[in-house]
Amino acid sequence: MSEAFDITDETQDYDQFGLTGNPFPYSPVPAEDPEIYCGQEQATNTISSTVSTTLSTGKSKHLVVTGKYGNGKSHTLKYTRSLLRDQDDVVVGYVAQPGEGFVDIYHEFMYDLGFAEVQNIAYEYLASIAQDVTETNPVGASAMRSLIDDGDVLLSEIVPVAIKRLSDVTQFADFARAIVHMVYEDTNLYAWQWLTAEGIRYEQRKEMEIHTALDDDTMGVRAFTALKNLLLELGYTAVFVFIDEFESIARLSSKDEQATLNSIRHLMDQNSDGLCLLFGCAPEVWQDVMSEYHAFSERIGQEVALRPLTNEHLHELVEEYLNQERRREESGVQPFTEDGLDMILQRSQGNIRQVLSVCSRLLDAAAREQRSEITAEFVEESI
């Protein structure tokens, strides 16, 4: 190994700060289930109002969250998703970016739900059918799964009725067949591939008696609407879809961009109940969408902008991160000094991604140099 490198697996000691480790992320990307959220009162109030209205009325409502890169759009969407996941009567999915069209949004949404969740929905629906056509009374997916595994309910007893009723609810017979096939061991992977718009061979579709391919935006809108109607039939209040990095539609050709926006507009038009769409978008792209695609933007209804961190928010953010690794019951922003935080705010211009990155580097640098405080002078020397 070259002597120019000094690579070691020795862990850094943060004892001098009363910390068990560096609480700030080295790569400040949003966690899947964030635990810390600071500031942005205007955004949190607007998001809370949008989500609460959908939950309390069952009526569809949509919102776009704008903010410059690094100001926390992804973090905001994922934090809201983590809060909604605690609700038993909603289904929530996160789409990292809209891709090439609506069928990609649908694909990512289904994958975020996951195979097990969609299979549970299938069992849950069969339970509702079994309550009507058998003498059993299964409540929920696990009870239905047990009855089938134990042979107390035969699939042949309930599947024909399930497909008929689900076809009526969804107005999409192929979707109904695919959902029911999620409980068959031999075909559930084919069904999952069809439901996620991955594409399957004709022979595999024929085995499930599915006649159409789910491979374009129109079919994606139809399948999503069918899923939402199935969930409302089961008693769910709403489906929440969080679409991040919506600004990437600007990279599509004008024709594809308009087709994607039209598909989302059709989705909103076909689902006046039980749907909440939250978009994360760069403000400049959203302004273009507002000015060029009125039919789409007018259906969103509301926009809220994320703002750079203030001094007060910076203190709160740093304290909450530090508290995650405190050895003792303490509070405050030590080892960061007041003038040190002022310098960090000035250098980062309140951009939360830069704040976390700078704090992480400064804490490591201070630990290596055995400093007890991170002052403005040290910040200037180190970044």
Side-chain angles (χ1 to χ4, degrees):
M1 182 180 295
S2 168
E3 293 182 358
F5 291 88
D6 182 18
I7 296 175
T8 174
D9 59 359
E10 186 178 346
T11 56
Q12 181 72 58
D13 187 357
Y14 300 92
D15 270 352
Q16 68 206 77
F17 308 127
L19 300 172
T20 57
N22 187 335
F24 301 102
Y26 290 112
S27 176
V29 296
E32 280 305 300
D33 292 302
E35 296 181 356
I36 295 174
Y37 194 87
C38 295
Q40 310 294 354
E41 287 84 0
Q42 184 188 3
T44 55
N45 288 340
T46 307
I47 292 170
S48 298
S49 172
T50 300
V51 170
S52 300
T53 299
T54 303
L55 289 174
S56 61
T57 67
K59 294 180 180 177
S60 297
K61 193 171 184 182
H62 317 296
L63 174 70
V64 61
V65 180
T66 59
K68 294 187 179 300
Y69 288 102
N71 273 350
K73 296 188 295 297
S74 300
H75 186 83
T76 299
L77 294 187
K78 288 187 173 181
Y79 188 79
T80 309
R81 177 183 65 167
S82 70
L83 298 177
L84 278 168
R85 276 179 168 171
D86 294 336
Q87 297 269 341
D88 293 330
D89 62 341
V90 305
V91 166
V92 54
Y94 173 82
V95 177
Q97 52 96 12
E100 303 295 319
F102 183 79
V103 75
D104 287 344
I105 294 174
Y106 169 79
H107 171 84
E108 290 296 317
F109 173 82
M110 293 297 285
Y111 254 85
D112 195 55
L113 293 190
F115 178 92
E117 177 69 18
V118 175
Q119 191 177 54
N120 278 340
I121 291 169
Y123 275 113
E124 202 175 337
Y125 186 72
L126 290 181
S128 69
I129 300 298
Q131 290 170 3
D132 291 343
V133 303
T134 71
E135 294 180 353
T136 61
N137 186 33
V139 178
S142 59
M144 187 70 241
R145 187 192 295 263
S146 297
L147 286 175
I148 293 172
D149 290 346
D150 296 342
D152 295 324
V153 170
L154 298 177
L155 283 172
S156 57
E157 289 181 86
I158 57 175
V159 161
V161 179
I163 291 177
K164 172 69 171 61
R165 290 192 187 177
L166 190 52
S167 297
D168 292 341
V169 168
T170 61
Q171 298 296 304
F172 195 175
D174 283 348
F175 179 87
R177 293 189 186 96
I179 284 289
V180 170
H181 271 277
M182 286 296 292
V183 306
Y184 284 97
E185 190 174 340
D186 292 343
T187 53
N188 57 21
L189 288 179
Y190 297 157
W192 172 244
Q193 285 178 290
W194 188 87
L195 285 167
T196 53
E198 283 196 342
I200 59 175
R201 296 198 306 274
Y202 170 76
E203 293 78 12
Q204 294 166 338
R205 280 198 279 125
K206 188 177 178 183
E207 193 172 343
M208 297 184 289
E209 299 182 73
I210 291 176
H211 305 292
T212 54
L214 204 170
D215 58 1
D216 61 25
D217 286 1
T218 301
M219 293 295 285
V221 171
R222 195 176 174 194
F224 185 95
T225 301
L227 175 67
K228 192 223 69 177
N229 289 340
L230 162 61
L231 292 168
L232 295 193
E233 178 74 7
L234 288 172
Y236 288 80
T237 302
V239 177
F240 290 83
V241 186
F242 296 164
I243 305 175
D244 204 358
E245 297 186 17
F246 197 65
E247 61 272 11
S248 64
I249 64 164
R251 291 197 289 267
L252 300 177
S253 67
S254 178
K255 180 182 175 183
D256 289 342
E257 180 180 352
Q258 183 150 10
T260 301
L261 296 177
N262 279 337
S263 294
I264 299 173
R265 177 170 67 84
H266 291 148
L267 182 77
M268 291 188 281
D269 289 349
Q270 292 172 26
N271 294 279
S272 57
D273 294 316
L275 177 63
C276 180
L277 299 174
L278 259 66
F279 301 86
C281 188
E284 56 273 18
V285 172
W286 182 244
Q287 288 303 315
D288 291 342
V289 170
M290 291 260 292
S291 61
E292 296 175 18
Y293 302 99
H294 298 285
F296 170 79
S297 61
E298 287 172 357
R299 284 166 171 77
I300 301 296
Q302 202 167 3
E303 172 191 354
V304 65
L306 298 178
R307 296 170 178 167
L309 293 176
T310 64
N311 188 278
E312 181 185 351
H313 295 149
L314 175 62
H315 276 67
E316 184 184 352
L317 180 76
V318 169
E319 183 173 356
E320 290 211 26
Y321 268 93
L322 289 169
N323 287 345
Q324 289 185 315
E325 299 287 348
R326 294 276 192 208
R327 288 191 182 280
R328 296 175 293 277
E329 289 293 327
E330 293 178 348
S331 60
V333 295
Q334 303 81 10
F336 294 90
T337 63
E338 293 295 326
D339 65 349
L341 287 181
D342 289 343
M343 184 59 69
I344 291 171
L345 186 66
Q346 181 185 329
R347 291 295 182 91
S348 66
Q349 297 185 324
N351 183 293
I352 187 170
R353 184 179 295 165
Q354 292 185 32
V355 165
L356 293 175
S357 176
V358 166
C359 286
S360 176
R361 286 158 45 200
L362 289 171
L363 197 65
D364 272 1
R368 283 194 301 272
E369 297 182 21
Q370 293 293 304
R371 288 176 177 261
S372 59
E373 291 185 325
I374 298 175
T375 62
E377 182 182 7
F378 184 66
V379 174
E380 277 201 290
E381 291 172 0
S382 305
I383 61 176

